[in-house]
């Protein structure tokens, strides 16, 4: 028997919350944006009236104002958005305990065991839309299907405030004509590779040759084909189930552009210090370091490299991250934002991969480990800003101290 999965997606969530709190916003084109003074001046969400002007999420404020000179801008209030998200998920949990948040404004629900109490998946979806509209004053769109991927495509199919049912009988008609980049985890770069190979739609993806997809996208290409064929069988997890940590990272949009090696080293060191501390707090080690660089013209590159041993030490992350940057970036060019992420996580130190022609780094590793554990103890007792790397103290590149940057970095 097929499962019944719902994907509930809040429409223009940040903007919807602001409109719920400030009804005067409902009748004007408005958008929630970051702080231009802190170089976070991009559109985070917009209401339907602003959307009609062609305003897009992640474009700059000046671009949006050029499209709509009368656009009303509201500052973001992330604490409020988290509160609204918790309230909405609490309503979902009144229908099933299988509620899996996908982000602050999206959740999957498995309602297969709720039929006798609440009716069909479509009926539950319509009731959730009505209740959240009335009780929370925001709208949601809901996809109803037999797996998670198609449920998400359903919630994106028609907006705002709509229910779309994707069945085994209609998915080829509704979903296969859609562009391939609408498929979960197919980004612009992957979509470009597929397009150059003649794969333009989800249907093309479902019918594509396995060898070709693997050559283009690696294992991810085969996974995308499975999703396109409707064969996703991943479960919806319980709301209270502990999530596996898959990566630990941090990003900073700096107070000014980083120019030259000294600036870049200071920025990278601050990020690595935060990431390493979080890894140690989770009792985890990373085996791969990933660096993302954003230039002042918003061009982004992302590179990564494996490590000779797993680590949760700032100095080792720093050396790897700087090696990536020096190899991949012209050090004379300015940098607007940096992200450092530890991936391929493990719960144990894998030890050093020894080479006969290279001296062992184990003694240095052990000394650094004791030093950074001592830093953790001092910060835990006296506060996160009580001690840090000397090279960061006088730096003017931060809006705040590096340790005060919120987990997950900036929403850009």
């Amino acid at each position: 028997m097929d499962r019944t999965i719902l994907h509930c997606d809040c429409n223009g969530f940040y903007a919807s919350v602001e409109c719920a709190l400030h009804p005067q916003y409902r009748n004007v084109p408005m958008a929630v944006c970051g702080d231009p003074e802190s170089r976070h001046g991009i559109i985070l969400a917009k209401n339907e009236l602003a959307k009609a002007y062609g305003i897009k999420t992640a474009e700059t404020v000046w671009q949006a104002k050029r499209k709509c000179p009368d656009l009303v801008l509201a500052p973001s209030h992330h604490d409020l958005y988290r509160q609204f998200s918790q309230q909405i998920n609490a309503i979902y949990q009144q229908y099933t305990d299988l509620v899996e948040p996908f982000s602050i404004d999206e959740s999957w629900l498995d309602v297969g065991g709720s039929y006798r109490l609440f009716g069909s998946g479509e009926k539950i979806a319509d009731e959730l839309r009505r209740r959240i509209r009335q009780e929370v004053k925001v709208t949601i769109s809901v996809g109803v299907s037999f797996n998670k991927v198609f449920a998400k495509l359903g919630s994106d199919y028609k907006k705002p405030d709509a229910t779309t049912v994707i069945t085994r009988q209609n998915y080829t008609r509704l979903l296969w004509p859609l562009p391939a980049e609408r498929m979960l985890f197919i980004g612009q770069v992957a979509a470009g590779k597929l397009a150059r190979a003649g794969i333009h739609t989800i249907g093309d993806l479902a019918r594509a040759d396995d060898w070709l997809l693997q050559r283009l996208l690696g294992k991810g290409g085969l996974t995308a084909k499975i999703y396109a064929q409707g064969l996703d069988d991943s479960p919806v997890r319980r709301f209270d189930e502990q999530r596996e940590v898959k990566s630990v990272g941090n990003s900073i949009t700096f107070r000014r552009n980083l120019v030259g090696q000294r600036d870049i080293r200071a920025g990278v060191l601050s990020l690595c210090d935060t990431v390493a501390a979080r890894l140690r707090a989770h009792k985890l080690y990373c085996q791969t370091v990933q660096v993302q660089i954003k230039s002042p013209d918003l061009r982004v590159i992302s590179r990564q490299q494996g490590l000779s041993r797993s680590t949760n030490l700032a100095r080792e992350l720093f050396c790897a991250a700087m090696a990536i940057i020096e190899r991949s970036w012209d050090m004379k060019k300015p940098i607007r934002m940096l992200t450092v992420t530890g991936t391929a996580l493990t719960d144990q130190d894998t030890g050093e991969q020894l080479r006969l022609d290279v001296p062992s780094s184990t003694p240095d590793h052990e000394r650094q480990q004791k030093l950074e554990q001592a830093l953790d103890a001092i910060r835990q007792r006296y506060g996160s800003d009580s001690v840090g790397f000397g090279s960061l103290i006088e730096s003017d590149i931060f809006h705040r101290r590096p340790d005060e940057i919120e987990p997950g970095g900036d929403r850009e």
Side-chain angles (χ1 to χ4, degrees), residues 173-192:
R173 175 172 57 85
L174 294 181
L175 301 182
W176 279 17
L178 297 177
E181 57 262 34
R182 295 280 292 273
M183 178 54 64
L184 196 64
F185 305 129
I186 295 292
Q188 289 185 347
V189 173

Side-chain angles (χ1 to χ4, degrees), residues 161-356:
D161 196 13
T163 297
T164 301
V165 180
I166 306 294
T167 67
R168 291 193 182 276
Q169 289 71 43
N170 71 9
Y171 78 84
T172 57
R173 175 172 57 85
L174 294 181
L175 301 182
W176 279 17
L178 297 177
E181 57 262 34
R182 295 280 292 273
M183 178 54 64
L184 196 64
F185 305 129
I186 295 292
Q188 289 185 347
V189 173
K193 292 179 180 179
L194 293 173
R196 287 190 289 273
I199 300 171
H200 301 282
T201 68
I202 293 177
D204 294 338
L205 188 58
R207 295 183 290 260
D209 180 79
D210 287 359
W211 177 86
L212 176 60
L213 289 176
Q214 189 160 16
R215 183 172 67 83
L216 293 173
L217 305 178
K219 292 182 180 179
L222 299 180
T223 301
K225 178 177 179 176
I226 289 172
Y227 288 167
Q229 292 176 332
L231 301 178
D232 167 46
D233 61 357
S234 57
V236 176
R237 296 178 293 190
R238 289 173 56 93
F239 188 81
D240 57 359
E241 182 180 334
Q242 186 173 358
R243 275 26 173 192
E244 179 186 0
V245 179
K246 296 184 177 180
S247 66
V248 175
N250 195 31
S251 67
I252 302 176
T253 298
F254 297 94
R255 176 174 166 270
R256 60 171 175 79
N257 292 336
L258 306 185
V259 180
Q261 189 169 96
R262 182 175 179 179
D263 278 357
I264 294 172
R265 289 175 67 88
V268 172
L269 182 57
S270 69
L271 289 166
C272 292
D273 186 26
T274 305
V275 172
R278 291 177 185 163
L279 285 167
R280 292 193 296 272
H282 287 292
K283 295 181 171 56
L284 292 171
Y285 302 79
C286 71
Q287 300 174 93
T288 300
V289 173
Q290 183 181 73
V291 176
Q292 188 177 85
I293 304 170
K294 181 181 288 187
S295 66
D297 62 359
L298 306 185
R299 184 172 69 91
V300 177
I301 70 165
S302 182
R303 301 289 188 271
Q304 67 180 35
Q305 76 173 39
L307 303 174
S308 60
R309 70 179 299 163
S310 60
T311 189
N312 55 17
L313 302 181
R315 283 292 179 187
E316 294 176 1
L317 295 177
F318 170 79
C319 290
M322 283 303 304
I324 293 171
I325 294 171
E326 289 170 353
R327 185 171 63 245
S328 309
W329 188 258
D330 183 347
M331 299 292 281
K332 297 177 182 178
K333 291 185 177 180
I335 294 176
R336 172 188 172 91
M337 184 190 81
L338 279 173
T339 303
V340 174
T341 305
T343 64
L345 303 185
T346 177
D347 59 1
Q348 57 185 335
D349 185 342
T350 59
E352 184 180 9
Q353 297 178 13
L354 295 177
R355 290 174 49 186
L356 295 177

